[in-house]
Amino acid sequence: MGDASADIKHIAIIMDGNGRWAKQRGLPRQAGHERGVEALRRTVRACQGLSLQHLTVFSFSSENWKRPAAEISSLFSLLRLYVQQDLKKLAQDGVKVRVLGSRSGLPDDILKLIEKAEGQTAHNTEFNLNIAFNYGSRDELVEASRAIAQRVKTGELQPEDITTDIFSESMWFGEIPDPDLLVRTSGEYRLSNFLLWQIAYSELVFMDCLWPDFGEEHLKDALGIYKCRDRRYGGLTVNETEN
Ligand code: FPP
């Protein structure tokens, strides 16, 4: 499998199916989310073992505010628990943690935890764990547009200076390379407002497995599918250019 991950730096995952996993077992949705955190731990370890550089996970979307207050609060508590339980080990393992999304509407203690997680791992270079939290791609695009408009207003930029690079740099994900591969679990075929700008040329893999069941074997399966894809970025394959 070393081969499969040879040219892949960044995998992004829509961790879907926690609720269905719990329902199938007659358990509360919270139990599915808790097992989802375990799947996340397994996946971080597996990505590091396969020498990937970035894992981005969708852990709370800006649309998740539509869920019942109790579920929102349990998702927030899972972030609290994850940071409290795993930060030390992540920091020791050289993982740089970033939390990407809107900071507005988040409780103060969550904001402090995010600062702590990012601060304590800022200098790490072994691996990058990017947690999309309170994230929505359209919100990200609007914020980037506002920031660029502000720079035009102050005269720092002219409208004709605006390029795709300027746009990319202005995103919450600005410093992070685009994903090579996007995986969504649970058999749903949607992007759900996740990384719409950044996945323009990513390979998409949809898997039936529910997120709490995800592990190293599923990751390897996804990388195997990726390896068989022909990434052309709108150009031609090497063979075609030779003809
Ligand atoms: C989708 O399942 C999953 C989520 C909305 C949350 C994902 C969160 C975690 C895996 C744990 C949190 C991790 C951190 C780092 C805070 P769903 O509830 O939509 O499942 P369903 O479609 O089967 O109902």
Coordinates of all heavy atoms in Angstrom, one line a residue, residues 152-214:
V152 N -9.1 45.8 -1.6 CA -9.3 46.7 -2.7 C -9.7 48.0 -2.2 O -9.3 49.1 -2.7 CB -10.4 46.1 -3.7 CG1 -10.8 47.1 -4.8 CG2 -9.9 44.8 -4.3
K153 N -10.6 48.1 -1.2 CA -11.1 49.3 -0.7 C -10.0 50.2 -0.2 O -9.9 51.4 -0.4 CB -12.1 49.1 0.4 CG -12.9 50.3 0.9 CD -13.9 49.8 1.9 CE -14.5 51.0 2.6 NZ -15.3 50.5 3.8
T154 N -9.0 49.6 0.5 CA -7.9 50.3 1.0 C -6.8 50.6 0.0 O -5.8 51.3 0.3 CB -7.2 49.6 2.2 OG1 -6.7 48.3 1.7 CG2 -8.1 49.3 3.4
G155 N -7.0 50.1 -1.2 CA -6.0 50.4 -2.3 C -4.9 49.4 -2.3 O -4.0 49.5 -3.2
E156 N -4.8 48.5 -1.4 CA -3.7 47.5 -1.4 C -3.7 46.6 -2.6 O -2.7 46.2 -3.1 CB -3.9 46.7 -0.1 CG -2.8 45.7 0.1 CD -3.1 44.6 1.2 OE1 -4.0 44.9 2.1 OE2 -2.6 43.5 1.1
L157 N -5.0 46.4 -3.1 CA -5.1 45.5 -4.3 C -6.0 46.3 -5.3 O -6.9 47.1 -4.9 CB -5.9 44.3 -4.0 CG -5.2 43.0 -3.4 CD1 -6.3 41.9 -3.3 CD2 -4.2 42.5 -4.4
Q158 N -5.7 46.1 -6.6 CA -6.6 46.6 -7.7 C -7.5 45.4 -8.1 O -7.1 44.2 -8.0 CB -5.8 47.0 -8.9 CG -4.9 48.3 -8.6 CD -5.7 49.4 -8.0 OE1 -6.7 49.8 -8.6 NE2 -5.3 50.0 -6.9
P159 N -8.7 45.7 -8.6 CA -9.6 44.6 -9.0 C -8.9 43.6 -9.9 O -9.1 42.4 -9.8 CB -10.8 45.3 -9.6 CG -10.9 46.6 -9.0 CD -9.4 47.0 -8.7
E160 N -8.1 44.2 -10.8 CA -7.5 43.3 -11.8 C -6.3 42.4 -11.2 O -5.8 41.5 -11.8 CB -6.9 44.1 -13.0 CG -6.0 45.2 -12.7 CD -6.7 46.5 -12.4 OE1 -7.9 46.5 -12.0 OE2 -6.1 47.6 -12.5
D161 N -5.9 42.7 -9.9 CA -4.9 41.9 -9.2 C -5.6 40.6 -8.7 O -4.8 39.7 -8.2 CB -4.3 42.6 -8.0 CG -3.6 43.9 -8.5 OD1 -3.1 43.9 -9.6 OD2 -3.5 44.8 -7.7
I162 N -6.9 40.5 -8.7 CA -7.5 39.4 -8.0 C -7.4 38.2 -8.9 O -7.8 38.2 -10.1 CB -9.0 39.7 -7.7 CG1 -9.1 40.9 -6.8 CG2 -9.7 38.4 -7.1 CD1 -10.6 41.4 -6.6
T163 N -6.7 37.1 -8.4 CA -6.5 35.9 -9.1 C -7.0 34.7 -8.3 O -7.4 34.9 -7.1 CB -4.9 35.7 -9.3 OG1 -4.4 35.6 -8.0 CG2 -4.3 36.8 -10.1
T164 N -6.9 33.5 -8.9 CA -7.3 32.3 -8.1 C -6.4 32.2 -6.9 O -6.8 31.7 -5.9 CB -7.3 31.1 -9.0 OG1 -6.1 31.0 -9.7 CG2 -8.5 31.1 -10.0
D165 N -5.1 32.5 -7.1 CA -4.2 32.4 -6.0 C -4.6 33.3 -4.8 O -4.5 32.9 -3.7 CB -2.7 32.7 -6.4 CG -2.1 31.6 -7.2 OD1 -2.7 30.5 -7.1 OD2 -1.1 31.8 -7.8
I166 N -4.9 34.5 -5.2 CA -5.3 35.5 -4.1 C -6.6 34.9 -3.4 O -6.7 35.0 -2.2 CB -5.7 36.9 -4.7 CG1 -4.5 37.5 -5.4 CG2 -6.4 37.8 -3.7 CD1 -3.6 38.3 -4.5
F167 N -7.5 34.4 -4.2 CA -8.7 33.8 -3.6 C -8.3 32.7 -2.6 O -8.8 32.6 -1.5 CB -9.7 33.3 -4.7 CG -11.0 34.0 -4.6 CD1 -11.3 35.0 -5.5 CD2 -11.9 33.6 -3.7 CE1 -12.5 35.7 -5.4 CE2 -13.1 34.2 -3.6 CZ -13.4 35.3 -4.4
S168 N -7.5 31.7 -3.2 CA -7.1 30.6 -2.3 C -6.5 31.0 -1.0 O -6.8 30.5 0.0 CB -6.1 29.7 -3.1 OG -6.7 29.1 -4.2
E169 N -5.5 32.0 -1.1 CA -4.8 32.5 0.1 C -5.8 33.1 1.1 O -5.5 33.2 2.3 CB -3.8 33.5 -0.3 CG -2.6 33.0 -1.0 CD -1.9 34.2 -1.8 OE1 -2.2 35.4 -1.5 OE2 -1.1 33.9 -2.7
S170 N -6.9 33.6 0.6 CA -7.8 34.3 1.5 C -8.8 33.4 2.2 O -9.6 33.9 3.0 CB -8.6 35.4 0.7 OG -7.7 36.2 -0.1
M171 N -8.8 32.1 1.9 CA -9.7 31.2 2.5 C -9.2 30.8 3.9 O -8.0 30.9 4.2 CB -9.7 29.9 1.7 CG -10.2 30.0 0.3 SD -11.9 30.2 0.3 CE -12.1 30.3 -1.5
W172 N -10.1 30.3 4.7 CA -9.7 29.7 6.0 C -8.6 28.6 5.8 O -7.7 28.4 6.5 CB -10.9 29.1 6.8 CG -11.9 30.0 7.2 CD1 -11.6 31.3 7.8 CD2 -13.3 29.9 7.3 NE1 -12.8 31.9 8.1 CE2 -13.9 31.0 7.8 CE3 -14.2 28.9 6.9 CZ2 -15.2 31.2 8.0 CZ3 -15.5 29.0 7.1 CH2 -16.1 30.2 7.6
F173 N -8.8 27.9 4.7 CA -7.8 26.8 4.3 C -6.6 27.3 3.5 O -5.9 26.5 2.9 CB -8.6 25.7 3.5 CG -9.2 24.6 4.4 CD1 -10.5 24.9 4.9 CD2 -8.6 23.5 4.7 CE1 -11.1 23.9 5.8 CE2 -9.2 22.5 5.5 CZ -10.5 22.8 6.1
G174 N -6.4 28.6 3.6 CA -5.5 29.3 2.7 C -4.1 28.6 2.6 O -3.5 28.4 1.6
E175 N -3.5 28.2 3.8 CA -2.1 27.7 3.8 C -2.1 26.2 3.5 O -1.0 25.6 3.3 CB -1.5 27.9 5.2 CG -1.3 29.3 5.6 CD -0.9 29.3 7.1 OE1 -0.5 28.2 7.6 OE2 -1.0 30.4 7.7
I176 N -3.2 25.6 3.4 CA -3.3 24.1 3.3 C -3.4 23.7 1.9 O -4.3 24.2 1.2 CB -4.5 23.6 4.2 CG1 -4.2 24.0 5.7 CG2 -4.7 22.1 4.0 CD1 -5.4 23.8 6.6
P177 N -2.6 22.7 1.4 CA -2.7 22.3 0.0 C -4.1 21.7 -0.3 O -4.7 21.2 0.7 CB -1.6 21.3 -0.2 CG -1.3 20.8 1.2 CD -1.6 22.0 2.1
D178 N -4.6 21.8 -1.5 CA -5.9 21.2 -1.8 C -5.9 19.7 -1.6 O -4.9 19.1 -1.8 CB -6.2 21.5 -3.3 CG -6.5 23.0 -3.6 OD1 -6.8 23.7 -2.6 OD2 -6.5 23.4 -4.7
P179 N -7.0 19.1 -1.2 CA -7.1 17.7 -1.0 C -6.8 17.0 -2.4 O -7.3 17.4 -3.4 CB -8.5 17.4 -0.5 CG -9.0 18.7 -0.1 CD -8.3 19.8 -0.8
D180 N -6.1 15.9 -2.3 CA -6.0 15.0 -3.5 C -7.2 14.1 -3.6 O -7.7 13.8 -4.7 CB -4.7 14.1 -3.3 CG -3.5 14.9 -3.2 OD1 -3.1 15.6 -4.2 OD2 -2.9 14.9 -2.1
L181 N -7.7 13.7 -2.4 CA -8.8 12.8 -2.4 C -9.8 13.2 -1.3 O -9.5 13.6 -0.2 CB -8.2 11.4 -2.0 CG -9.2 10.3 -1.6 CD1 -10.0 9.9 -2.8 CD2 -8.3 9.1 -1.1
L182 N -11.1 13.2 -1.7 CA -12.2 13.4 -0.8 C -13.0 12.1 -0.6 O -13.4 11.5 -1.6 CB -13.1 14.5 -1.3 CG -14.4 14.7 -0.4 CD1 -14.1 15.5 0.8 CD2 -15.5 15.3 -1.2
V183 N -13.1 11.7 0.6 CA -13.9 10.5 0.9 C -15.2 10.9 1.7 O -15.1 11.7 2.6 CB -13.1 9.5 1.8 CG1 -13.9 8.3 2.2 CG2 -11.9 9.0 1.0
R184 N -16.3 10.3 1.3 CA -17.5 10.4 2.1 C -18.0 9.0 2.4 O -18.2 8.2 1.6 CB -18.6 11.2 1.4 CG -19.9 11.4 2.3 CD -20.9 12.2 1.7 NE -21.9 12.5 2.7 CZ -22.6 13.7 2.9 NH1 -22.4 14.6 2.1 NH2 -23.5 13.8 3.9
T185 N -18.3 8.8 3.7 CA -18.8 7.5 4.1 C -20.3 7.5 4.2 O -20.9 8.6 4.0 CB -18.2 7.2 5.5 OG1 -18.6 8.2 6.5 CG2 -16.7 7.0 5.5
S186 N -20.9 6.4 4.4 CA -22.3 6.1 4.6 C -23.2 6.1 3.4 O -24.4 6.1 3.5 CB -22.9 7.2 5.6 OG -23.4 8.3 4.9
G187 N -22.5 6.0 2.2 CA -23.3 5.8 1.0 C -24.1 7.0 0.5 O -24.9 6.8 -0.4
E188 N -23.8 8.2 1.0 CA -24.4 9.4 0.5 C -23.5 10.0 -0.6 O -22.3 10.1 -0.4 CB -24.7 10.4 1.6 CG -25.4 9.9 2.8 CD -26.9 9.8 2.6 OE1 -27.4 10.2 1.4 OE2 -27.6 9.3 3.4
Y189 N -24.2 10.5 -1.6 CA -23.4 11.1 -2.8 C -23.6 12.6 -2.8 O -24.2 13.1 -3.7 CB -23.8 10.4 -4.1 CG -23.6 9.0 -4.1 CD1 -24.5 8.1 -3.6 CD2 -22.4 8.4 -4.7 CE1 -24.3 6.7 -3.7 CE2 -22.2 7.1 -4.7 CZ -23.1 6.2 -4.2 OH -22.9 4.9 -4.2
R190 N -23.1 13.3 -1.8 CA -23.3 14.7 -1.7 C -22.0 15.3 -1.2 O -21.2 14.7 -0.5 CB -24.4 15.1 -0.7 CG -25.8 15.0 -1.2 CD -26.7 15.6 -0.1 NE -26.6 15.0 1.2 CZ -27.3 13.9 1.5 NH1 -28.1 13.3 0.6 NH2 -27.2 13.4 2.7
L191 N -21.8 16.6 -1.5 CA -20.6 17.3 -0.9 C -21.0 18.2 0.3 O -20.1 18.6 1.1 CB -20.0 18.2 -2.0 CG -19.5 17.5 -3.2 CD1 -19.0 18.4 -4.3 CD2 -18.4 16.5 -2.8
S192 N -22.3 18.4 0.5 CA -22.7 19.1 1.7 C -21.9 20.4 2.1 O -21.6 20.5 3.3 CB -22.8 18.1 2.9 OG -23.6 17.0 2.6
N193 N -21.6 21.2 1.1 CA -21.0 22.5 1.4 C -19.6 22.3 2.0 O -19.3 23.1 2.9 CB -22.0 23.3 2.3 CG -21.7 24.8 2.3 OD1 -21.0 25.3 1.4 ND2 -22.2 25.5 3.2
F194 N -18.9 21.3 1.6 CA -17.6 21.0 2.2 C -16.5 21.3 1.1 O -16.5 20.7 0.0 CB -17.5 19.6 2.6 CG -16.3 19.2 3.4 CD1 -15.8 20.0 4.4 CD2 -15.6 18.0 3.2 CE1 -14.7 19.7 5.2 CE2 -14.5 17.7 3.9 CZ -14.0 18.5 4.9
L195 N -15.6 22.3 1.4 CA -14.4 22.5 0.6 C -14.7 22.7 -0.9 O -13.9 22.1 -1.8 CB -13.4 21.3 0.8 CG -12.9 21.1 2.2 CD1 -12.0 19.8 2.2 CD2 -12.2 22.3 2.8
L196 N -15.8 23.4 -1.3 CA -16.2 23.4 -2.7 C -15.1 24.0 -3.6 O -14.9 23.6 -4.7 CB -17.5 24.2 -2.8 CG -18.7 23.6 -2.0 CD1 -19.9 24.5 -2.2 CD2 -18.9 22.2 -2.5
W197 N -14.4 25.0 -3.0 CA -13.3 25.7 -3.8 C -12.1 24.7 -4.0 O -11.5 24.5 -5.0 CB -12.9 27.0 -3.1 CG -11.7 27.7 -3.7 CD1 -10.4 27.4 -3.4 CD2 -11.7 28.7 -4.7 NE1 -9.6 28.3 -4.1 CE2 -10.3 29.0 -5.0 CE3 -12.7 29.3 -5.5 CZ2 -10.0 30.0 -5.9 CZ3 -12.3 30.3 -6.4 CH2 -11.0 30.6 -6.6
Q198 N -11.8 24.1 -2.8 CA -10.5 23.3 -2.8 C -10.6 22.0 -3.5 O -9.5 21.4 -3.8 CB -10.1 23.1 -1.3 CG -9.8 24.4 -0.5 CD -11.0 25.0 0.1 OE1 -12.2 24.7 -0.2 NE2 -10.8 26.1 0.9
I199 N -11.8 21.4 -3.7 CA -11.8 20.1 -4.3 C -12.0 20.1 -5.8 O -12.4 19.1 -6.4 CB -12.9 19.2 -3.6 CG1 -14.3 19.8 -3.8 CG2 -12.5 18.9 -2.2 CD1 -15.4 18.8 -3.5
A200 N -11.8 21.3 -6.4 CA -12.0 21.4 -7.9 C -11.4 20.3 -8.7 O -12.0 19.8 -9.6 CB -11.4 22.8 -8.3
Y201 N -10.2 19.8 -8.3 CA -9.5 18.7 -9.0 C -9.3 17.5 -8.1 O -8.4 16.7 -8.5 CB -8.3 19.2 -9.7 CG -8.6 20.1 -10.8 CD1 -8.5 21.5 -10.8 CD2 -9.0 19.5 -12.0 CE1 -8.8 22.3 -11.8 CE2 -9.3 20.3 -13.1 CZ -9.2 21.7 -13.0 OH -9.6 22.5 -14.1
S202 N -10.0 17.4 -7.0 CA -9.8 16.3 -6.1 C -10.5 15.1 -6.7 O -11.5 15.2 -7.4 CB -10.3 16.5 -4.7 OG -9.8 17.7 -4.2
E203 N -10.0 13.9 -6.4 CA -10.7 12.7 -6.7 C -11.7 12.4 -5.6 O -11.5 12.6 -4.4 CB -9.8 11.5 -6.8 CG -8.8 11.6 -8.0 CD -9.5 11.6 -9.3 OE1 -10.5 10.9 -9.5 OE2 -9.0 12.3 -10.2
L204 N -12.9 12.0 -6.0 CA -14.0 11.8 -5.0 C -14.3 10.2 -4.9 O -14.4 9.5 -5.9 CB -15.3 12.4 -5.5 CG -15.2 13.9 -5.9 CD1 -16.6 14.4 -6.2 CD2 -14.6 14.8 -4.8
V205 N -14.3 9.8 -3.6 CA -14.6 8.4 -3.4 C -15.7 8.3 -2.3 O -15.6 8.9 -1.3 CB -13.4 7.6 -2.9 CG1 -13.7 6.2 -2.4 CG2 -12.3 7.5 -4.0
F206 N -16.8 7.6 -2.7 CA -18.0 7.5 -1.8 C -18.0 6.0 -1.3 O -17.9 5.1 -2.2 CB -19.3 7.8 -2.5 CG -19.3 9.3 -3.0 CD1 -18.9 9.6 -4.3 CD2 -19.6 10.3 -2.1 CE1 -18.8 11.0 -4.7 CE2 -19.6 11.6 -2.5 CZ -19.2 12.0 -3.8
M207 N -18.0 5.8 0.0 CA -18.0 4.5 0.5 C -19.3 4.2 1.3 O -19.8 5.1 2.0 CB -16.8 4.3 1.4 CG -15.5 4.7 0.7 SD -14.0 4.5 1.7 CE -13.6 2.8 1.4
D208 N -19.7 2.9 1.3 CA -20.9 2.6 2.0 C -20.8 2.5 3.5 O -21.7 2.7 4.3 CB -21.5 1.2 1.5 CG -22.1 1.4 0.1 OD1 -22.5 2.5 -0.2 OD2 -22.1 0.4 -0.6
C209 N -19.6 2.2 4.0 CA -19.3 2.0 5.4 C -19.8 3.2 6.2 O -19.6 4.4 5.8 CB -17.9 1.7 5.6 SG -16.9 2.6 6.7
L210 N -20.3 3.0 7.4 CA -20.7 4.1 8.3 C -19.5 4.6 9.0 O -18.6 3.7 9.4 CB -21.8 3.6 9.2 CG -23.1 3.1 8.5 CD1 -24.1 2.6 9.6 CD2 -23.8 4.2 7.7
W211 N -19.4 5.9 9.3 CA -18.2 6.4 9.8 C -17.6 5.7 11.1 O -16.4 5.4 11.2 CB -18.3 7.9 10.1 CG -17.0 8.4 10.7 CD1 -16.9 8.9 12.0 CD2 -15.7 8.5 10.1 NE1 -15.5 9.2 12.2 CE2 -14.8 8.9 11.1 CE3 -15.2 8.1 8.9 CZ2 -13.4 9.1 10.9 CZ3 -13.8 8.3 8.6 CH2 -13.0 8.8 9.6
P212 N -18.5 5.3 12.1 CA -17.9 4.7 13.3 C -17.2 3.4 12.9 O -16.4 2.9 13.8 CB -19.1 4.4 14.2 CG -20.1 5.5 13.7 CD -19.9 5.6 12.2
D213 N -17.5 2.7 11.8 CA -16.8 1.5 11.4 C -15.6 1.7 10.7 O -14.8 0.8 10.4 CB -17.8 0.6 10.6 CG -19.0 0.1 11.3 OD1 -18.8 -0.2 12.5 OD2 -20.1 0.0 10.7
F214 N -15.3 2.9 10.3 CA -14.1 3.2 9.4 C -12.8 3.0 10.1 O -12.7 3.2 11.3 CB -14.2 4.7 9.0 CG -13.3 5.1 7.8 CD1 -13.8 5.0 6.5 CD2 -12.0 5.5 8.0 CE1 -13.0 5.3 5.4 CE2 -11.2 5.9 6.9 CZ -11.7 5.8 5.6

